[in-house]
Amino acid sequence: MTMQDPKETEAELVAAVTGAETLEALEQVRVAAIGRKGRVTDLMKSLGAMTPDERRTAGPLLNGLKDRISTAIDTRRAELEEAALEARLQEEHIDLTLPTRPEMVGSVHPVSQVTEEIIAIFADMGFTLAEGPDIEDDFHNFTALNMPPEHPARQMHDTFYLSGEQDGTRKLLRTHTSTVQIRAMMSQPPPHRIIVPGRTYRSDSDITHTPMFHQVEGLVIDRTTHMGHLKGCLIEFVRAFFDVDDLPYRFRPSYFPFTEPSAEMDIGCARSDGELRIGAGDEWLEILGCGMVNPRVLENCGIDPNEYQGFAFGMGIDRIAMLKYGIPDLRAFFDSDLRWLRHYGFSALDVPTLAGGLAR
Ligand code: DAH
Protein backbone atom coordinates (compact mmCIF):
# COMPACT_ATOMS: atom_id res chain seq x y z
CA MET A 1 0.00 0.00 0.00
CA THR A 2 1.38 3.38 -0.99
CA MET A 3 1.08 5.96 1.69
CA GLN A 4 1.09 9.72 1.22
CA ASP A 5 4.15 11.25 2.81
CA PRO A 6 3.04 12.03 6.42
CA LYS A 7 4.89 15.33 6.21
CA GLU A 8 2.70 16.39 3.29
CA THR A 9 -0.42 15.21 5.08
CA GLU A 10 0.59 17.20 8.14
CA ALA A 11 1.24 20.38 6.13
CA GLU A 12 -2.17 20.08 4.44
CA LEU A 13 -4.01 19.42 7.68
CA VAL A 14 -2.28 22.23 9.58
CA ALA A 15 -3.15 24.63 6.74
CA ALA A 16 -6.78 23.49 6.97
CA VAL A 17 -6.79 23.97 10.77
CA THR A 18 -5.32 27.45 10.73
CA GLY A 19 -7.51 28.36 7.76
CA ALA A 20 -10.73 27.45 9.61
CA GLU A 21 -12.56 30.73 10.17
CA THR A 22 -15.36 29.48 12.39
CA LEU A 23 -15.79 26.90 15.13
CA GLU A 24 -18.06 24.90 12.81
CA ALA A 25 -15.45 24.87 10.03
CA LEU A 26 -12.81 23.80 12.54
CA GLU A 27 -15.01 20.95 13.74
CA GLN A 28 -15.32 19.68 10.15
CA VAL A 29 -11.54 19.80 9.79
CA ARG A 30 -11.18 17.89 13.06
CA VAL A 31 -13.59 15.14 11.99
CA ALA A 32 -11.87 14.85 8.62
CA ALA A 33 -8.44 14.53 10.28
CA ILE A 34 -8.74 12.63 13.54
CA GLY A 35 -12.42 11.54 13.51
CA ARG A 36 -13.32 7.85 13.24
CA LYS A 37 -12.91 7.95 9.47
CA GLY A 38 -10.40 10.78 9.37
CA ARG A 39 -7.21 10.82 7.37
CA VAL A 40 -4.90 10.51 10.37
CA THR A 41 -7.08 7.74 11.80
CA ASP A 42 -6.86 5.89 8.46
CA LEU A 43 -3.09 6.24 8.53
CA MET A 44 -3.01 4.84 12.06
CA LYS A 45 -5.13 1.90 10.91
CA SER A 46 -2.61 1.18 8.14
CA LEU A 47 -0.03 0.39 10.83
CA GLY A 48 -1.77 -2.97 11.33
CA ALA A 49 -0.87 -4.10 7.82
CA MET A 50 2.80 -3.20 8.17
CA THR A 51 5.74 -5.41 8.95
CA PRO A 52 7.19 -4.98 12.42
CA ASP A 53 10.17 -3.10 10.94
CA GLU A 54 8.00 -0.71 8.99
CA ARG A 55 5.84 -0.20 12.05
CA ARG A 56 8.83 0.70 14.21
CA THR A 57 9.58 3.76 12.08
CA ALA A 58 6.05 4.62 10.95
CA GLY A 59 4.46 4.26 14.43
CA PRO A 60 6.23 7.16 16.19
CA LEU A 61 5.93 9.27 13.04
CA LEU A 62 2.16 8.84 12.87
CA ASN A 63 1.67 9.28 16.62
CA GLY A 64 3.66 12.52 16.50
CA LEU A 65 1.52 13.63 13.56
CA LYS A 66 -1.68 12.90 15.45
CA ASP A 67 -0.50 14.78 18.57
CA ARG A 68 0.58 17.85 16.61
CA ILE A 69 -2.68 17.99 14.67
CA SER A 70 -4.69 17.68 17.93
CA THR A 71 -2.66 20.46 19.51
CA ALA A 72 -3.09 22.66 16.44
CA ILE A 73 -6.86 22.08 16.58
CA ASP A 74 -7.02 22.96 20.33
CA THR A 75 -5.00 26.11 19.80
CA ARG A 76 -7.16 27.22 16.89
CA ARG A 77 -10.34 26.45 18.87
CA ALA A 78 -9.16 28.63 21.75
CA GLU A 79 -8.42 31.46 19.31
CA LEU A 80 -11.83 31.18 17.66
CA GLU A 81 -13.65 31.01 21.02
CA GLU A 82 -11.81 34.08 22.23
CA ALA A 83 -12.69 35.94 19.02
CA ALA A 84 -16.35 34.86 19.32
CA LEU A 85 -16.54 36.16 22.91
CA GLU A 86 -14.88 39.41 21.87
CA ALA A 87 -17.38 39.83 19.03
CA ARG A 88 -20.29 39.14 21.36
CA LEU A 89 -19.03 41.65 23.91
CA GLN A 90 -18.76 44.25 21.16
CA GLU A 91 -22.23 43.48 19.90
CA GLU A 92 -23.93 43.45 23.31
CA HIS A 93 -22.10 46.50 24.61
CA ILE A 94 -24.44 49.34 25.58
CA ASP A 95 -23.43 52.88 26.38
CA LEU A 96 -25.30 53.67 29.59
CA THR A 97 -24.26 57.30 29.39
CA LEU A 98 -26.39 57.86 26.31
CA PRO A 99 -29.89 59.21 26.85
CA THR A 100 -32.41 56.53 25.87
CA ARG A 101 -34.90 58.97 24.41
CA PRO A 102 -33.18 62.31 23.79
CA GLU A 103 -36.53 63.95 23.09
CA MET A 104 -37.90 62.86 26.50
CA VAL A 105 -36.10 64.65 29.31
CA GLY A 106 -37.30 63.77 32.81
CA SER A 107 -37.70 66.30 35.59
CA VAL A 108 -37.41 66.40 39.36
CA HIS A 109 -40.74 66.58 41.21
CA PRO A 110 -41.29 69.80 43.22
CA VAL A 111 -41.60 67.76 46.44
CA SER A 112 -38.16 66.23 45.86
CA GLN A 113 -36.70 69.59 44.96
CA VAL A 114 -38.16 71.37 48.00
CA THR A 115 -37.07 68.50 50.29
CA GLU A 116 -33.52 68.96 49.03
CA GLU A 117 -33.77 72.72 49.58
CA ILE A 118 -34.92 72.22 53.18
CA ILE A 119 -32.14 69.71 53.85
CA ALA A 120 -29.54 72.09 52.39
CA ILE A 121 -30.63 74.95 54.69
CA PHE A 122 -30.79 72.87 57.88
CA ALA A 123 -27.60 70.96 57.08
CA ASP A 124 -25.89 74.34 56.96
CA MET A 125 -27.17 74.97 60.50
CA GLY A 126 -25.62 71.72 61.71
CA PHE A 127 -28.66 69.41 61.52
CA THR A 128 -28.27 65.81 60.38
CA LEU A 129 -30.78 63.87 58.33
CA ALA A 130 -32.85 61.18 60.07
CA GLU A 131 -35.57 58.83 58.83
CA GLY A 132 -38.12 56.43 60.26
CA PRO A 133 -40.65 53.86 59.00
CA ASP A 134 -43.97 54.83 57.35
CA ILE A 135 -45.70 51.94 59.14
CA GLU A 136 -45.63 52.75 62.83
CA ASP A 137 -47.13 51.65 66.11
CA ASP A 138 -49.40 53.50 68.46
CA PHE A 139 -46.58 54.18 70.91
CA HIS A 140 -44.34 56.14 68.52
CA ASN A 141 -47.17 57.95 66.74
CA PHE A 142 -49.22 58.88 69.81
CA THR A 143 -48.47 57.61 73.31
CA ALA A 144 -44.82 58.62 73.55
CA LEU A 145 -45.74 62.02 72.11
CA ASN A 146 -47.94 62.62 75.14
CA MET A 147 -51.17 61.45 73.48
CA PRO A 148 -52.19 58.48 75.63
CA PRO A 149 -55.23 56.38 74.55
CA GLU A 150 -58.44 58.49 74.66
CA HIS A 151 -56.45 61.72 74.27
CA PRO A 152 -58.70 64.10 72.25
CA ALA A 153 -55.85 65.15 69.92
CA ARG A 154 -55.80 61.62 68.49
CA GLN A 155 -59.16 62.28 66.82
CA MET A 156 -57.71 65.10 64.75
CA HIS A 157 -55.33 62.77 62.96
CA ASP A 158 -57.78 60.70 60.83
CA THR A 159 -55.50 57.74 61.19
CA PHE A 160 -55.24 54.86 58.70
CA TYR A 161 -54.99 51.61 60.66
CA LEU A 162 -53.67 48.31 59.35
CA SER A 163 -55.52 45.11 60.18
CA GLY A 164 -54.97 43.87 63.72
CA GLU A 165 -52.21 41.61 64.95
CA GLN A 166 -52.79 38.46 67.00
CA ASP A 167 -52.21 40.27 70.28
CA GLY A 168 -54.90 42.84 69.46
CA THR A 169 -52.53 45.71 68.60
CA ARG A 170 -52.88 47.48 65.29
CA LYS A 171 -50.11 49.06 63.23
CA LEU A 172 -50.87 52.38 61.56
CA LEU A 173 -49.57 54.65 58.82
CA ARG A 174 -47.78 57.45 60.62
CA THR A 175 -49.88 60.62 60.72
CA HIS A 176 -46.86 62.86 61.24
CA THR A 177 -43.06 62.71 61.16
CA SER A 178 -42.96 63.46 64.91
CA THR A 179 -42.62 59.67 65.36
CA VAL A 180 -38.96 60.02 64.42
CA GLN A 181 -38.33 62.38 67.37
CA ILE A 182 -39.17 59.42 69.59
CA ARG A 183 -37.08 56.97 67.59
CA ALA A 184 -34.08 59.31 67.68
CA MET A 185 -34.32 60.02 71.42
CA MET A 186 -34.80 56.37 72.31
CA SER A 187 -31.95 55.06 70.17
CA GLN A 188 -29.19 57.49 71.12
CA PRO A 189 -28.31 59.66 74.10
CA PRO A 190 -28.61 63.46 73.72
CA PRO A 191 -27.63 65.88 72.24
CA HIS A 192 -29.89 65.68 69.16
CA ARG A 193 -30.04 67.96 66.15
CA ILE A 194 -31.99 66.25 63.38
CA ILE A 195 -34.14 67.06 60.39
CA VAL A 196 -36.64 64.43 59.24
CA PRO A 197 -38.40 64.69 55.88
CA GLY A 198 -40.83 61.92 54.97
CA ARG A 199 -44.23 60.65 53.87
CA THR A 200 -47.21 60.95 56.21
CA TYR A 201 -50.80 59.72 55.90
CA ARG A 202 -54.26 60.87 56.94
CA SER A 203 -57.67 59.93 55.70
CA ASP A 204 -58.48 63.31 54.18
CA SER A 205 -58.88 64.58 50.60
CA ASP A 206 -59.74 68.00 49.16
CA ILE A 207 -57.96 70.84 47.34
CA THR A 208 -55.41 71.23 50.15
CA HIS A 209 -55.32 67.66 51.53
CA THR A 210 -54.26 64.33 50.04
CA PRO A 211 -54.30 61.00 51.92
CA MET A 212 -50.51 60.82 51.52
CA PHE A 213 -48.52 64.00 51.99
CA HIS A 214 -45.05 65.06 53.13
CA GLN A 215 -43.79 66.60 56.32
CA VAL A 216 -40.48 67.63 57.70
CA GLU A 217 -39.77 67.43 61.40
CA GLY A 218 -36.98 69.14 63.31
CA LEU A 219 -35.66 68.29 66.76
CA VAL A 220 -32.94 69.89 68.87
CA ILE A 221 -32.16 68.54 72.35
CA ASP A 222 -29.26 69.61 74.54
CA ARG A 223 -28.69 71.24 77.94
CA THR A 224 -29.14 74.90 77.03
CA THR A 225 -31.34 75.32 73.93
CA HIS A 226 -34.24 77.70 74.61
CA MET A 227 -37.16 79.38 72.85
CA GLY A 228 -34.84 82.11 71.49
CA HIS A 229 -32.91 79.45 69.57
CA LEU A 230 -36.15 78.02 68.21
CA LYS A 231 -37.22 81.42 66.89
CA GLY A 232 -33.80 82.30 65.47
CA CYS A 233 -33.52 78.96 63.71
CA LEU A 234 -36.96 79.13 62.10
CA ILE A 235 -36.69 82.80 61.09
CA GLU A 236 -33.37 81.99 59.42
CA PHE A 237 -34.99 79.04 57.67
CA VAL A 238 -38.03 80.83 56.22
CA ARG A 239 -35.91 83.75 54.99
CA ALA A 240 -33.43 81.43 53.27
CA PHE A 241 -36.15 79.18 51.88
CA PHE A 242 -38.31 81.93 50.38
CA ASP A 243 -35.24 83.99 49.51
CA VAL A 244 -36.71 87.15 51.11
CA ASP A 245 -34.27 88.79 53.55
CA ASP A 246 -36.81 90.87 55.45
CA LEU A 247 -39.66 88.35 55.31
CA PRO A 248 -42.17 89.36 58.05
CA TYR A 249 -43.07 86.62 60.54
CA ARG A 250 -44.98 86.12 63.74
CA PHE A 251 -45.29 83.36 66.32
CA ARG A 252 -48.80 82.72 67.65
CA PRO A 253 -49.43 80.69 70.81
CA SER A 254 -50.90 77.30 69.99
CA TYR A 255 -51.31 73.83 71.41
CA PHE A 256 -49.61 70.53 70.64
CA PRO A 257 -49.51 67.72 73.19
CA PHE A 258 -45.78 67.14 72.55
CA THR A 259 -44.58 70.72 73.08
CA GLU A 260 -44.98 73.19 75.94
CA PRO A 261 -45.17 76.05 75.21
CA SER A 262 -46.35 75.58 71.63
CA ALA A 263 -46.60 78.05 68.77
CA GLU A 264 -47.50 78.37 65.12
CA MET A 265 -45.39 80.45 62.80
CA ASP A 266 -46.92 82.72 60.17
CA ILE A 267 -45.15 84.55 57.37
CA GLY A 268 -46.24 87.77 55.68
CA CYS A 269 -47.84 87.79 52.28
CA ALA A 270 -49.86 89.96 49.94
CA ARG A 271 -52.76 88.84 47.79
CA SER A 272 -53.77 90.84 44.76
CA ASP A 273 -55.60 89.85 41.57
CA GLY A 274 -55.72 86.27 42.75
CA GLU A 275 -51.95 86.18 43.02
CA LEU A 276 -50.10 85.39 46.22
CA ARG A 277 -46.80 87.11 46.94
CA ILE A 278 -44.63 85.97 49.86
CA GLY A 279 -43.11 88.97 51.67
CA ALA A 280 -44.40 92.27 53.03
CA GLY A 281 -48.17 92.65 52.78
CA ASP A 282 -51.13 92.78 55.09
CA GLU A 283 -51.93 89.11 55.34
CA TRP A 284 -50.46 86.13 57.16
CA LEU A 285 -49.93 82.54 56.11
CA GLU A 286 -49.50 79.78 58.66
CA ILE A 287 -46.53 77.64 57.72
CA LEU A 288 -45.47 75.47 60.66
CA GLY A 289 -46.04 74.25 64.20
CA CYS A 290 -43.33 74.34 66.83
CA GLY A 291 -42.55 74.52 70.53
CA MET A 292 -40.30 73.50 73.39
CA VAL A 293 -40.31 69.71 73.73
CA ASN A 294 -42.73 68.75 76.49
CA PRO A 295 -40.84 67.35 79.53
CA ARG A 296 -43.23 64.39 79.51
CA VAL A 297 -42.02 63.45 76.02
CA LEU A 298 -38.42 63.56 77.25
CA GLU A 299 -39.39 61.35 80.19
CA ASN A 300 -41.17 58.91 77.87
CA CYS A 301 -37.87 58.54 76.01
CA GLY A 302 -35.79 58.08 79.14
CA ILE A 303 -34.25 61.57 79.08
CA ASP A 304 -34.09 63.56 82.32
CA PRO A 305 -35.98 66.84 81.74
CA ASN A 306 -34.05 68.49 84.57
CA GLU A 307 -30.87 68.06 82.56
CA TYR A 308 -32.05 68.32 78.97
CA GLN A 309 -34.40 70.51 76.98
CA GLY A 310 -34.91 71.63 73.41
CA PHE A 311 -37.32 72.47 70.64
CA ALA A 312 -39.18 70.74 67.83
CA PHE A 313 -41.07 71.83 64.77
CA GLY A 314 -43.07 70.29 61.96
CA MET A 315 -44.26 71.57 58.62
CA GLY A 316 -45.92 70.38 55.46
CA ILE A 317 -43.48 70.08 52.55
CA ASP A 318 -46.17 70.02 49.86
CA ARG A 319 -47.73 73.14 51.28
CA ILE A 320 -44.55 75.21 51.32
CA ALA A 321 -43.71 73.91 47.82
CA MET A 322 -47.10 75.23 46.65
CA LEU A 323 -46.44 78.59 48.30
CA LYS A 324 -42.91 78.99 46.98
CA TYR A 325 -43.55 77.91 43.41
CA GLY A 326 -47.13 79.16 43.02
CA ILE A 327 -48.71 75.74 42.49
CA PRO A 328 -52.50 75.99 42.99
CA ASP A 329 -53.85 72.45 43.55
CA LEU A 330 -52.21 69.94 45.88
CA ARG A 331 -53.92 66.93 44.29
CA ALA A 332 -52.09 67.55 41.01
CA PHE A 333 -48.85 66.74 42.86
CA PHE A 334 -49.75 63.07 42.78
CA ASP A 335 -51.53 62.76 39.43
CA SER A 336 -48.35 61.85 37.48
CA ASP A 337 -49.50 64.11 34.65
CA LEU A 338 -46.50 64.61 32.35
CA ARG A 339 -47.64 68.08 31.29
CA TRP A 340 -47.79 69.15 34.95
CA LEU A 341 -44.39 67.60 35.68
CA ARG A 342 -42.83 69.34 32.70
CA HIS A 343 -44.26 72.65 33.83
CA TYR A 344 -43.51 72.48 37.55
CA GLY A 345 -40.58 70.03 37.54
CA PHE A 346 -36.91 70.90 37.93
CA SER A 347 -33.83 69.99 35.97
CA ALA A 348 -31.84 67.14 37.52
CA LEU A 349 -28.84 69.48 37.39
CA ASP A 350 -30.57 72.12 39.55
CA VAL A 351 -29.09 70.79 42.79
CA PRO A 352 -30.03 73.19 45.58
CA THR A 353 -27.12 74.53 47.61
CA LEU A 354 -26.85 77.60 49.79
CA ALA A 355 -23.92 78.89 47.74
CA GLY A 356 -25.43 78.11 44.35
CA GLY A 357 -28.89 79.41 45.23
CA LEU A 358 -32.08 77.61 46.10
CA ALA A 359 -34.63 79.31 43.89
CA ARG A 360 -34.77 78.61 40.19
N1 DAH B 1 -46.84 66.85 64.28
C1 DAH B 1 -47.57 68.07 64.03
C2 DAH B 1 -48.62 67.79 62.95
O1 DAH B 1 -48.54 66.84 62.30
C3 DAH B 1 -46.66 69.16 63.56
C4 DAH B 1 -45.77 69.63 64.65
C5 DAH B 1 -46.14 70.65 65.47
C6 DAH B 1 -44.55 69.01 64.87
C7 DAH B 1 -45.34 71.11 66.49
C8 DAH B 1 -43.72 69.44 65.91
C9 DAH B 1 -44.14 70.50 66.70
O2 DAH B 1 -42.55 68.89 66.15
O3 DAH B 1 -43.31 70.92 67.69
O4 DAH B 1 -49.53 68.56 62.80
Side-chain angles (χ1 to χ4, degrees), residues 103-278:
E103 75 283 12
M104 300 273 293
V105 177
S107 60
V108 175
H109 195 285
V111 170
S112 306
Q113 186 76 10
V114 164
T115 303
E116 290 301 322
E117 293 177 8
I118 296 168
I119 293 170
I121 297 170
F122 282 105
D124 197 61
M125 294 195 246
F127 284 71
T128 48
L129 192 62
E131 283 180 318
D134 291 18
I135 297 177
E136 263 296 2
D137 53 30
D138 192 273
F139 175 78
H140 291 89
N141 199 81
F142 293 122
T143 307
L145 286 159
N146 196 30
M147 284 181 272
E150 313 306 328
H151 192 286
R154 286 187 172 215
Q155 257 97 69
M156 291 158 55
H157 283 228
D158 299 310
T159 313
F160 284 116
Y161 286 94
L162 278 68
S163 40
E165 308 259 321
Q166 298 255 301
D167 61 4
T169 61
R170 282 188 301 173
K171 287 272 171 51
L172 50 84
L173 293 177
R174 67 178 176 191
T175 59
H176 51 181
T177 42
S178 306
T179 52
V180 187
Q181 288 187 26
I182 305 302
R183 290 191 173 270
M185 288 191 280
M186 293 188 79
S187 63
Q188 269 177 36
H192 296 282
R193 199 173 177 83
I194 56 165
I195 189 84
V196 189
R199 292 196 177 96
T200 46
Y201 307 82
R202 290 184 200 180
S203 179
D204 205 353
S205 183
D206 59 35
I207 188 164
T208 52
H209 297 89
T210 48
M212 189 279 296
F213 58 107
H214 300 82
Q215 281 192 344
V216 62
E217 190 81 11
L219 175 73
V220 175
I221 301 288
D222 59 25
R223 291 174 198 273
T224 55
T225 291
H226 54 67
M227 192 95 186
H229 295 120
L230 174 158
K231 291 178 73 177
C233 172
L234 294 175
I235 293 165
E236 184 73 21
F237 166 74
V238 292
R239 292 186 163 168
F241 180 77
F242 289 104
D243 201 20
V244 179
D245 285 343
D246 57 353
L247 181 59
Y249 64 84
R250 68 178 185 190
F251 286 88
R252 274 180 298 105
S254 184
Y255 171 77
F256 300 103
F258 29 89
T259 43
E260 183 57 38
S262 302
E264 277 170 314
M265 185 186 194
D266 296 342
I267 54 170
C269 68
R271 255 182 255 265
S272 58
D273 307 329
E275 210 184 290
L276 177 73
R277 213 171 42 78
I278 306 287

